[in-house]
Amino acid sequence: MRKQIVAANWKMNLTIQEAEKLVNELIEKLPTLQINQEVVVGVPFPYLTMVKGIIANKANVFVAAQNCYTKDAGAYTGETSVPMLKSIGVEYVIIGHSERREYFHECHKMLTEKVERCFEHGLKPIFCCGEPLKIREAGLQNQYVETQLKESLFQFSAEQLKGFIIAYEPIWAIGTGKTASSEQAQEMHAHIRSVFQGQYGADIADTISILYGGSVKAANANEIFGKPDVDGGLVGGASLVVSEFVPIIEGLSS
Ligand code: PEP
């Protein structure tokens, strides 16, 4: 059974006091999760330990960093390595978010190195991909996303990519309030699965959890998550409001 995941991406928001209040409220109101369902909370680096402490005894709830560096240690002022994240009990890392690709110029090769560090140290990457509006308007989204996957991930073995997590996030839908339709999401998720199937076979492709991200809200989560190749969501803005985020989690099919 594939894992279904709702992952929060708080981005660069909240003070520590606000973050603590939010995560406590989330834990208090958290719906029952099935055995194959997980909630992952992606928080800014300074809050990882605090959030980890609060969710410590909650089954199927995990903390994620929103980035990591390509090297394990050394003279890289301001960076945070995967061994550092591991040492504080972080389980997941969001890698290649479109905001990092755009504002911090993260390229395919850099993302490969980050995923590699995660594999080496036993952390789970949530690998983001997705096309800008111009590419969608030109009808080139399938090729664009395929290139992102091939360039950064196809160096890895089938064994390494078993149970891998992809977040498909069309850039035109992130933070814009404009969600891809459930049909558009399904179409791309099926394409992504077929790309993995072509390279690694159906046995591996079927284990890959593909999350949809881009203005997911309480009002649309259930419909999007109901599509056969959509295994949950990566949620930005709506993850900062517990009364929005909890119904999104409830949108996972049972
Ligand atoms: C995101 O940042 O990954 C995201 C999907 O943001 P939003 O839900 O706000 O569109």
Side-chain angles (χ1 to χ4, degrees):
M1 200 176 359
R2 262 201 310 269
K3 236 188 233 176
Q4 296 184 336
I5 300 169
V6 171
N9 177 15
W10 288 0
K11 312 193 189 198
M12 196 179 72
N13 288 302
L14 310 174
T15 61
I16 194 156
Q17 291 80 9
E18 291 165 341
E20 193 169 1
K21 186 165 173 279
L22 179 66
V23 74
N24 273 312
E25 198 185 331
L26 174 62
I27 291 305
E28 197 185 304
K29 306 215 166 119
L30 197 73
T32 307
L33 298 168
Q34 309 294 319
I35 193 154
N36 67 322
Q37 295 178 339
E38 292 184 358
V39 170
V40 178
V41 192
V43 311
F45 288 130
Y47 309 157
L48 284 166
T49 304
M50 178 274 289
V51 172
K52 172 85 188 163
I54 293 173
I55 65 174
N57 298 319
K58 271 283 167 193
N60 295 13
V61 183
F62 302 96
V63 71
Q66 298 174 13
N67 183 31
C68 63
Y69 195 50
T70 56
K71 303 280 192 284
D72 280 352
Y76 303 103
T77 304
E79 291 298 330
T80 302
S81 73
V82 174
M84 289 175 181
L85 296 173
K86 189 184 167 101
S87 73
I88 58 168
V90 169
E91 293 102 346
Y92 285 88
V93 186
I94 298 170
I95 289 180
H97 192 281
S98 61
E99 288 151 16
R100 295 217 56 89
R101 291 179 191 254
E102 182 179 352
Y103 306 137
F104 303 97
H105 313 292
E106 296 196 355
C107 62
H108 299 313
K109 181 172 175 286
M110 200 182 271
L111 301 182
T112 303
E113 288 171 6
K114 291 184 180 196
V115 171
E116 201 166 24
R117 294 293 87 71
C118 287
F119 284 159
E120 275 169 16
H121 298 287
L123 271 74
K124 296 176 191 152
I126 298 174
F127 183 87
C128 302
C129 59
E131 79 287 354
L133 185 59
K134 273 207 166 93
I135 295 290
R136 167 68 61 167
E137 284 172 345
L140 298 171
Q141 64 274 10
N142 284 3
Q143 295 94 307
Y144 187 92
V145 168
E146 191 168 336
T147 301
Q148 290 180 316
L149 302 176
K150 285 186 170 166
E151 291 291 325
S152 292
L153 300 177
F154 281 12
Q155 300 82 344
F156 297 110
S157 68
E159 198 47 44
Q160 286 174 303
L161 291 177
K162 200 169 177 185
F164 195 71
I165 303 161
I166 299 280
Y168 166 61
E169 302 204 301
I171 298 170
W172 46 271
I174 298 179
T176 59
K178 198 173 168 189
T179 319
S181 68
S182 54
E183 289 76 22
Q184 285 173 317
Q186 168 57 26
E187 197 181 305
M188 178 58 85
H189 285 223
H191 175 63
I192 291 171
R193 207 176 298 290
S194 77
V195 170
F196 277 95
Q197 183 170 336
Q199 181 74 9
Y200 296 101
D203 284 0
I204 296 298
D206 286 346
T207 68
I208 292 178
S209 296
I210 310 175
L211 319 183
Y212 169 78
S215 299
V216 173
K217 323 181 231 316
N220 59 27
N222 188 253
E223 190 191 335
I224 297 172
F225 298 169
K227 293 292 177 189
D229 286 291
V230 180
D231 305 306
L234 178 56
V235 185
S239 71
L240 297 169
V241 182
V242 171
S243 60
E244 267 293 308
F245 193 53
V246 165
I248 290 174
I249 300 167
E250 288 166 342
L252 288 174
S253 47
S254 48

